[in-house]
Amino acid sequence: MSIFKFHYNLEKNSVGFVVAIILAASVGGLVEIAPLFTIDDTVETLPDMRVYTPLELAGRNIYIREGCYACHSQMIRTLRDEVERYGPYSLAAESQYDHPMLWGSKRTGPDIARLGGKYSDDWHEAHLIYPRAVVPTSIMPAYPWLATTPLDVEGLGAHLAVLAQLGVPYTDDMIANASRDATAQARPDSDAATGLVDRYGEATTIRRFTDAREVTEMDAVIAYLQILGQLTQAPYAAEVPQ
Amino acid sequence: MIAILTPRERQIGMAMAIGLALLGLTMAALGGHDPIAVHGFMALALGLALVFAVGSVLEEPAPNPARLQQYYDDPIKVGIVLAMIWGVFAMTIGLWVAALMVWPDATFGQAWSSYGRLRPVHTTGVIFAFGGNALIATSFHVMQRTCRARLADQLSPWFVLIGYNLFLVWAVTGYFMGVTQSKEYAEPEWYADIWLVIVWVTYLVLYLRTLKRRAEPHIYVANWYYLAFIVVVAMLHIVNAAAIPVSWTGAKSYPAFSGVQDAMVQWWYGHNAVAFFMTSGFLGMLYYYLPMRAQRPIFSYRLSIISFWGITFFYLWVGSHHLHYTALPTWVQNLGMTFSIMLLVPSWASAGNALATLNGAWHRVRDDATLRFMFIAAVFYGLSTFEGSFLAIRPVNALSHYTDWTVGHVHSGALGWLAMVTFGAFYSVIPQIWGRTAMYSPKLVEWHFWLALAGLLTYVFSLWNAGITQGLMWRAYNSAGTLNYSFIESMEAMRPYYIARVLGGALFLAGICVGAVNIWLTIRGARDAAPDRPLSPQAAE
């Protein structure tokens, strides 16, 4: 057969063989991935979609650092039982500013895509310090050091600047004030809190997330957990946008 | 071992060692309090150690030219020892994370020991450290024997091996410190990723240069698989690791893609790390060591061609089956499912080809634990690929996804296929390259085999049960039409299975420890005559 004859000759040419491997292996990715960047309805357009505040972003980075995504997904599938258990299914637009996405692949613990607002800050604090204090049979690790480690807000502007480069709509104003805004979000009485609302909108949650004297990593993580599923209200509307 | 380098290779090696030390010093100096500084100190220490090692032989006379009439096996020896050290370490961590599911307070209140940080240590340790070192070491062996050619030079194999292990040390110690991109099976940060690209390109160039020296007209099928492993992993890694660092002197970076595109790129990468790291590379191993050990030629040459190109073409389409019913457009999900099912054809062609090769050698499978390792590997390769195609079907995936079934599936591949074929290959190659007629104790090989098989079966059966139970509980409704179980009830139901999993993991770990002892005793034992394939070109056997 001629195809085997062709292969018989290809086997004698190492560089030709490598080129053939590259060609064969490139097709799948080109067909499935490239169009995701060009087909417009891949990601819905949501007018009320917000960006993470610097404090929430810092919390998200701690979430990544501790590997929370290994046990908690943030992607509710379009299945009846998931929607009834966790809330409206996740839209692509909700993670459009997530570099990286944290959809997860395993639910050793429950999905937390719609966790925001379901529990109080106090509950989260107690739960993170020692999960079995509030959920006796939980197998989640304890994260007591979050409550005692001051949050490093220095250089958050550089983080926002990189994300802006990647297409997240952070303004120059947001980048310049990032470190101040991070502290201000956990200090509602401070003057800086007003600027935060101007930059990130009325829906921004500004409050003392914990009673700690300084802003800690715990504040950041709780701020992040409380925003999950709350960056837009579109999924909760009767009609899902296209 | 270093004195065999030519004076020129010693000089270049010295320059590279100094370069590494300077790179490390720069990272350490500019990194400040960032974890990147710790990694700088590691590179500095390694660079200095290499400077002293090479420096000690710099002025020695040139090595005997007779070396060119022999294969160059030193890097293979080091690679195998490293693979075993990493294997014992990574499986110990695996046992620990399994135990954390039952005794969650076994973190001792330390940040570095919490589940989320240990988990990538385990996955990277087993797949990339144990598996990767095994692949590099065996590929050096297979390329030389099947080409009847000595490695193209004596320096680049060391650059590949040492450079790759520096990457691994950066990766693993990074996770302990919380340095991660959070992309599964691609957690290391940007500087480690760039370093890996340099190492990997050197690996490919070395492979091609050695192939060019071959005394055989045809490139043997095992080399196709090793080549596909090297080339496609490079392609996947470069795309998936695209990121912008926050600062050139810090570890943190933000990946280039976001949301749905990031998810698709991640699982295009993630599933093909399984395909080209955990499958293609190890098929290369299987295609050489199984027929050699069974003393039977490969059953079908044409089947090898069909399965090789089937795997290389189809696998790149299937990543989206990790994202069924998610916000990924349905057309991509359906393509992923379709190709996953088609993938069963080349996968079973490979497994069938391996098993049919054993026809006429079944008495050896019965008597020789080394060959039995590879037989079980081929069986579990067939089972895992069938399970993979099955789990990729949308309605099945609705039940299995997010559950421990997926974890069970990965381990049926990683323990049943990847580790088993590696042990079979190691027990075949070790006596040969260390100049022994056989392993120190064939009885310990038997012990290793049965411990590994018992551990594997205990592990996968417990997680199959766990996953299906979870999936069914999550979707169970009561007569009132509401969900029957809370999430925490499904978690509580896992406890017996998680305990069984710890037991399975402990058995498998005991097996590899027995193997490590046996390998150590073989290396230390007396040298005697070992059969090897002659290097000098002669008529095909």
Side-chain angles (χ1 to χ4, degrees), chain B residues 95-227:
Chain B
L95 187 63
W96 189 356
V97 291
L100 283 176
M101 297 285 193
V102 185
W103 302 283
D105 289 323
T107 63
F108 313 108
Q110 298 298 310
W112 64 268
S113 62
S114 68
Y115 178 87
R117 294 199 191 181
L118 288 184
R119 191 245 188 194
V121 174
H122 168 61
T123 54
T124 299
V126 169
I127 300 170
F128 298 112
F130 169 66
N133 275 304
L135 285 172
I136 291 174
T138 57
S139 75
F140 288 166
H141 183 250
V142 170
M143 73 168 94
Q144 294 190 90
R145 276 10 177 231
T146 58
C147 295
R148 283 184 195 279
R150 186 180 163 89
L151 283 170
D153 70 292
Q154 300 178 121
L155 193 60
S156 48
W158 292 112
F159 179 77
V160 172
L161 199 62
I162 297 172
Y164 185 67
N165 280 278
L166 176 64
F167 162 79
L168 292 170
V169 169
W170 275 355
V172 165
T173 54
Y175 308 149
F176 283 126
M177 294 186 287
V179 176
T180 171
Q181 280 188 329
S182 85
K183 293 173 83 83
E184 276 184 82
Y185 313 112
E187 291 92 347
E189 272 291 357
W190 62 275
Y191 53 98
D193 286 340
I194 293 173
W195 177 251
L196 182 62
V197 172
I198 299 168
V199 169
W200 216 247
V201 170
T202 313
Y203 186 20
L204 177 63
V205 170
L206 170 66
Y207 212 119
L208 290 176
R209 282 169 63 217
T210 306
L211 284 180
K212 204 167 156 48
R213 298 158 63 102
R214 71 186 181 277
E216 304 279 350
H218 287 267
I219 302 170
Y220 179 64
V221 50
N223 294 302
W224 312 349
Y225 281 103
Y226 280 119
L227 275 177

Side-chain angles (χ1 to χ4, degrees), chain A residues 16-28 30, chain B residues 231 235 309 312-313:
Chain A
F17 207 94
V18 166
V19 172
I21 290 172
I22 293 173
L23 290 178
S26 301
V27 186
L30 287 176
Chain B
V231 171
M235 188 169 106
W309 290 105
T312 306
F313 179 72

Side-chain angles (χ1 to χ4, degrees), chain B residues 291-430:
Chain B
M292 289 300 277
R293 193 75 187 184
Q295 298 172 36
R296 304 276 308 162
I298 282 289
F299 168 71
S300 165
Y301 162 69
R302 291 190 168 185
L303 213 50
S304 314
I305 296 177
I306 291 168
S307 53
F308 174 78
W309 290 105
I311 285 173
T312 306
F313 179 72
F314 286 158
Y315 246 118
L316 278 298
W317 294 73
V318 306
S320 53
H321 71 221
H322 288 253
L323 300 167
H324 281 328
Y325 302 99
T326 67
L328 180 76
T330 315
W331 66 267
V332 194
Q333 300 179 22
N334 286 333
L335 268 179
M337 171 171 77
T338 312
F339 274 82
S340 300
I341 294 164
M342 292 196 286
L343 186 58
L344 189 60
V345 175
S347 298
W348 272 27
S350 291
N353 209 359
L355 293 175
T357 300
L358 292 173
N359 257 342
W362 292 108
H363 59 289
R364 292 202 183 92
V365 177
R366 185 193 60 207
D367 297 337
D368 178 10
T370 302
L371 187 57
R372 216 178 308 126
F373 265 117
M374 292 189 268
F375 161 67
I376 290 290
V379 169
F380 264 83
Y381 176 64
L383 288 176
S384 306
T385 48
F386 173 78
E387 189 184 27
S389 296
F390 180 63
L391 293 176
I393 300 170
R394 274 164 59 89
V396 180
N397 195 269
L399 178 88
S400 74
H401 192 54
Y402 293 131
T403 73
D404 278 298
W405 193 349
T406 313
V407 185
H409 170 58
V410 175
H411 281 83
S412 119
L415 302 175
W417 156 241
L418 183 156
M420 290 290 191
V421 72
T422 301
F423 297 140
F426 277 8
Y427 288 135
S428 305
V429 69
I430 285 171

Side-chain angles (χ1 to χ4, degrees), chain A residues 80-82 84, chain B residues 473-484:
Chain A
R80 179 185 162 197
D81 61 292
E82 297 214 353
E84 290 186 11
Chain B
M473 286 179 85
W474 289 347
R475 59 164 61 175
Y477 281 86
N478 57 29
S479 53
T482 57
L483 291 169
N484 199 34

